Amino acid sequence: MRKAFVYLTAAAALTALAALPVKAAEEVKIGFTAALSGDFAAYGENMQRGLELAIGEINAKTDNGGVTLAITTADDRGLPSDGVLIAQRFCSDDTVDIVMGYSFSSVALAAATIINDCQLPVLASAVTSPDLAGVSPYFRRNVLTDAVQGELAGTYAAKVLGAKRIAALNQQDDYGIGGTDAFVAAAKAAGAEILSREAYVLGTKDFKTQLTSIKAQTPDLLWVGGFYTEAAKIAQQARQIGLDVQILGSDGLLSPKLIELGGASIDGTILYGMFDPSVAKPEVQAFVKAYKDKYGEEPNAWAALAYDAGYTLNEAAKLAAAKNGKVDRAGLNAAFAEIKAVPGVTGPTTFQENGNREGTVVYLQVKDGKFILAPKQLN
Amino acid sequence: MDILLQFFINALMLGAIYALAAVAYTLVYGILEMINFAFGELFMFGAFLVVSFMLPQVSLFGVMVPMPGLPFLLAAPLAILFVAAMGYLIERCAYRPLRFAPRLAPLITAIAVSVALQNLAQSVWGAQELSYPSFFLLEAKPIQIGGAYISMVEIAVIVTAAVVMTALHFYVKKTRMGRAMRAAAQDVEAAALMGIPVNRVIAMAFIIGSGLAALAGIFYGAVYLFAHPHMGFMPGLKAMVAAVLGGIGNIRGAMLGGIVLGFAETFGAAYLPNGSAYRDAIAFGILILLLLFRPQGLLGTRLPNRLADRGAMAFKGSASAIDAGLARLSAFFAGRDLVRYASWGVLAVVAVSVFFIFPSPYWARVFVFVLIYALLASGLNIVVGFAGLLDLGFVAFWAVGSYFTSILFVEVLAKGYGVDMSSVWWLFYVNLLLGGGLAALFGMMLGYPTLRLRGDYLAIMTLGFGEIIRLVATNWVDLTRGPMGIRGIPVPSLFGYKLGSPVQLYLLGLVLLALAVFLIALMVRSYLGRAWVAIREDEAAAEAMGINTARYKLYAYSAGGFFGGVTGVFFAHSQQYISPLSFTLFENILILMLIVLGGMGTLAGPIIGAAIWVVFLEVARDMPFIQQHHELRFMALGILLVVLMIFRPQGLLGQKRQPLMMS
Amino acid sequence: MTLKVENIKVAYGMIEALHGISFAVADKSVVGLIGSNGAGKTTALKAISGLLPLSGGRITLDGRDINGLAPEAIVKLGIVHVPEGRRIFPRMTVRENLDLGAFTRHRDATVERDLGWVYELFPVLKEREEQLAGTLSGGQQQMLAMGRALMSKPRLLMLDEPSMGLSPIMQDKIFDLAREINASGTTLLLVEQNARAALELATHAYVLDTGAIALDGKGSDLAHDERVRKAYLGEE
């Protein structure tokens, strides 16, 4: 081990020396962490792909304010303890300027104290727990909290879709519980009746039992607060047992895999998200095409948010470089507070003081194997 | 009525899938008395292969590869053959060299193979779910009976399972090889003496079992329309539970166990309060009840003296084995005392001096984790290494300690009574003992019903216990805050002086580890330790020698649990945040592997194992191919362990253990 | 058929159980191995039948080395071992047990003929053909174990403690049957604690003591040997 330490220190010293005189381009190094192995590696992988696509595009620009982006990745397996270790790793690594990623709120929560202590900025793109709001002046995310999302969705269900009898299914984790709590409250407030609410564990395959019970309740809307993998199975199995009900899902459903896995059964499902792959906006289409070319699949919400996070970081880094002549942790953190309405495929990004993102969602519907803008939107 | 019918069909279909896989476990267990954990992964390969054969092209290792696009009826048998061949190869390369190894060796190898295969699948097919291509069964219209719907796939699953089971029944009853298989299951040694080629019979059991597992996986994929690298893990465990339910080793029992489990799960999820969140716990709950009241399983026959009756093909050492074990143990402590003290001294010096050379808080934090895993592994080592009881639910003790202190500090004192947590800093030290004590109590509770069980039954029972604790921590939101976890746990402090930096935590952990090792050494040297070793080497003979094995097993569980609980308290306060995600079965397997790596039944083994593995995991993060394929870190661990089991089963530090017996 | 055991050593892990023993079994003879508990008699049989590896010495059948062969290969050469404690397959029928005895043979008329012969030797097995073997009495199980072994048409039949746990009447019956089997041309290697009966039957006998051969000679000679009488026959 000692040898490794010596090499590490020597290497670090050498790079420091080499970096001093040149100073041409300011390299901003991203420490990326997410679940990249284990049951839920897919979500982390999507994020890494979205982010790496953005980095590649940014570095290919001829004029980027003297900023280039680099990335180092660490697999947290979705474990809070690994999150702690990785946070410390990035803190101690002076070359790391910012932490990005995080596929689970609990991992980010475990890491938060350490990140805060070493004043390392974080820009997360998939963690929605309200607990993370204001957890540290260095913590930001470009995704709406599940509480905000759920409330919007509850109102939409009752007011816009006119649902009267709602059955709710939620993923048993902070995302599913938080979002569904808010959804249920908002839907009730808008006059709908909640017939039942049941939880399932992420990774569940068999929903027939719950769906059979739900079928007997004759709901007019089924809420799914969870991810696309389970939602696809819920839709398939609902059809298999002859339950024909409008499904409304949270933004965890926003993935082309939903359509691939759900097949014809998923048709008609309504969901929301900050990213609308169907929009004819040129930047969205360019993103979808570039992503498809590079990875052979269509991007989902995880990838799109991570991609936008890359561009948001780039804006902050350019601002910091212009102001201070260099990009460091403190400068970057200050710049995040200043940047406004950074354009992206999920809409413009502006951060609130507590690190949350300002913004709203769009409602989408699956139609003939494609996402389209839902005919009815909230207000 | 419609609802009941729908439930009935769902249950039957799920039960049929469990039954198919359960027969695989039972076939192999019957002959080798070994739980082949890898069947869960062969199940997964069945689904992946059939999907791959049916698609026109598939992305393998991230590269699009053209595939034949075969029809289902051709792809399925091909996938089954493929998986059967894999099963044969695994038996030949990983298990057969261990035929005469101590009983834990093949079991641990099986777990290692399973970890390696899981991560291999992720490297090959990626982490995304692969969707099942449509074929005639999926396109057919479902049959409608009243309000209940039965899809063609479900009918196909139930019918095929029935046909395959009937065929298997005739195979073992009527054919030459089938009879040989039954004979070997009843008495391997006698079968060999009758000229039955036992190795071929075992290979056949693996081939048939793997084929059945693949078939079950293919159906499971077709019903739920996907394939995923981790899809086999839970169904594999459930099938194992089904096999035990029916009386492991009994083929008809496995079928019945599968069906029973399918029904229990479906109806439990439907009618128990919050049933669907607890559905995985239902299977394990039934298992524990069954083992308590009818340990031989539903259809298993209880033979008067199974041990004498069966005579596994192994070297029975009986009393002489104990003598040898004890002699070895005393030599271990007498003759080499000087060397041992010296090496412990060196280890202590290294441990303290590591503190001076930490180049960064990061490496200090890494070594905090080394200490946490070393503590956990030392605790588990009492149960596994010294007493020879495989424990797959050890993380539960860790969880109990963690949750105990976190709930007390954050939920009760701070939130409930508004107590300033820094004013009760001393409570942390009290909680180390209380948390340990509570976990020890849980150990007693877990130990008590398992006392009458031997070996693998015990492993499955502990596994069930661990999973239940994790599911309770996830779903009992009012107590544990569920998946949101508990945050704001104060760092340890001393008279108001915070010990929160990684280096301070390292030193605190070092003190805890030193104390733990000291206590464990005291126990191991006492009569207690000798009794444990005697139980490990030959339980029946130990009992014959007047050792109250039940009592000493309980002691082992509670001692191990105590250290697990203590570690949990330290862990919670060092992290300041806990959630159920930390206490998974995979973590348990990892801790078990650390012990095997370092050397089971040694004091320093768990520490060395933890140091090597945790540091390797961290260093490996920087390797270029790991940056692209993170799952390879764990595949490497799996392969390393299989190799280690074959060439150095005693671990890096272990003394050469004699191949005394299998049972 | 001649079996020669030359200076074999067998160890369980680090403990050596046989320290180099030698003996020979001549064609059509009855050879007895006697000795107290733990002397290594069973170990010697297991070594011959291929269940235990040798750590030294060699075993030959008609001059051909058989050490290292798998148990099933040794059965095919005509050596079959009826283990201590019968070890029949308890959850199979009597008939299934007997069929498994003929596992190494091609199914033909000779198998049927031998089955008839076994049923002639042990009529009780014929009566209980369809009964589960585990439900037989101790003596019947011993007969089944012997019958099962005979179904492989052995040249050398090794019996390990065939009289153990049986009533005196049943013991006599088993020894009578053993004599009958030998008379039909099968060589016998007999391990027994009931030294008197064994020496009565044996044409040649060896006395094993803690892993080594202490004495050997004609069965009738040993039965009159002072030391044997004291140590193993319980006579003063």
Side-chain angles (χ1 to χ4, degrees), chain B residues 344-473:
Chain B
W344 275 107
V346 170
L347 211 63
V349 170
V350 169
V352 175
S353 54
V354 161
F355 151 72
F356 290 105
I357 58 161
F358 283 144
S360 70
Y362 163 56
W363 279 102
R365 183 70 78 172
V366 171
F367 275 88
V368 172
F369 273 88
V370 169
L371 291 175
I372 287 172
Y373 279 101
L375 272 164
L376 289 170
S378 297
L380 181 56
N381 191 33
I382 297 176
V383 185
V384 179
F386 289 111
L389 308 163
L390 186 56
D391 188 346
L392 291 173
F394 188 74
V395 281
F397 302 135
W398 182 20
V400 165
S402 291
Y403 271 103
F404 166 70
T405 194
S406 309
I407 291 172
L408 186 61
F409 264 98
V410 179
E411 301 294 311
V412 176
L413 291 178
K415 288 191 190 159
Y417 292 95
V419 176
D420 174 18
M421 286 189 284
S422 60
S423 68
V424 286
W425 59 268
W426 47 266
L427 192 55
F428 163 71
Y429 303 96
V430 178
N431 276 1
L432 283 175
L433 286 177
L434 289 181
L438 187 65
L441 211 65
F442 267 84
M444 288 267 188
M445 275 164 50
L446 165 64
Y448 179 72
T450 59
L451 291 177
R452 289 178 301 162
L453 308 175
R454 285 170 203 274
D456 301 329
Y457 277 73
L458 199 79
I460 299 178
M461 175 110 173
T462 54
L463 185 152
F465 178 73
E467 283 295 285
I468 287 177
I469 292 274
R470 189 177 62 81
L471 287 164
V472 168

Side-chain angles (χ1 to χ4, degrees), chain C residues 33-35 163 171-172 175 179 190 192-202 205 219-220 222-224 228-236:
Chain C
L33 272 184
I34 62 173
S163 74
Q171 289 193 10
D172 287 347
F175 284 116
R179 191 169 287 122
L190 181 65
E192 255 304 334
Q193 276 195 63
N194 182 346
R196 193 190 308 274
L199 291 178
E200 232 170 68
L201 194 65
S220 50
L222 285 180
H224 296 104
V228 174
R229 287 176 56 180
K230 266 196 178 160
Y232 303 105
L233 302 181
E235 293 170 11
E236 275 308 310

Side-chain angles (χ1 to χ4, degrees), chain B residues 100 173 176-177 179-180 182-187 189-199 301 303 306 308-316 320-321 324 328 656 658-660, chain C residues 11-15 46 49 51-53 71-73 75-76 79-83 86-93 95-97 99-105 107 145 148-149 152:
Chain B
F100 297 104
K173 261 272 179 316
R176 199 172 109 95
M177 199 62 185
R179 274 191 188 157
R182 274 165 69 215
Q186 292 180 31
D187 191 331
E189 195 176 85
L193 290 178
M194 290 304 104
I196 292 172
V198 171
N199 276 335
T301 39
L303 291 166
R306 187 163 159 76
D309 165 79
R310 105 162 256 114
M313 201 164 78
F315 309 148
K316 288 229 162 167
S320 59
R328 199 159 50 84
K656 183 129 180 94
Q658 307 161 28
L660 281 169
Chain C
Y12 293 96
M14 277 149 61
I15 311 152
K46 284 187 171 179
S49 56
L51 286 180
L52 291 177
E72 66 262 24
V75 174
K76 275 188 194 151
I79 302 179
V80 68
H81 175 174
V82 179
R86 358 272 187 225
R87 305 284 284 274
I88 41 106
F89 302 117
R91 289 186 298 279
M92 295 175 118
T93 63
R95 177 60 196 269
E96 284 177 318
N97 267 277
D99 282 349
L100 277 165
F103 189 83
T104 53
R105 298 171 62 185
R107 294 246 146 220
R148 185 179 66 177
S152 73

Side-chain angles (χ1 to χ4, degrees), chain C residues 196-216:
Chain C
R196 193 190 308 274
L199 291 178
E200 232 170 68
L201 194 65
T203 40
H204 199 96
Y206 296 84
V207 180
L208 262 175
D209 190 18
T210 56
I213 301 274
L215 272 178
D216 79 290

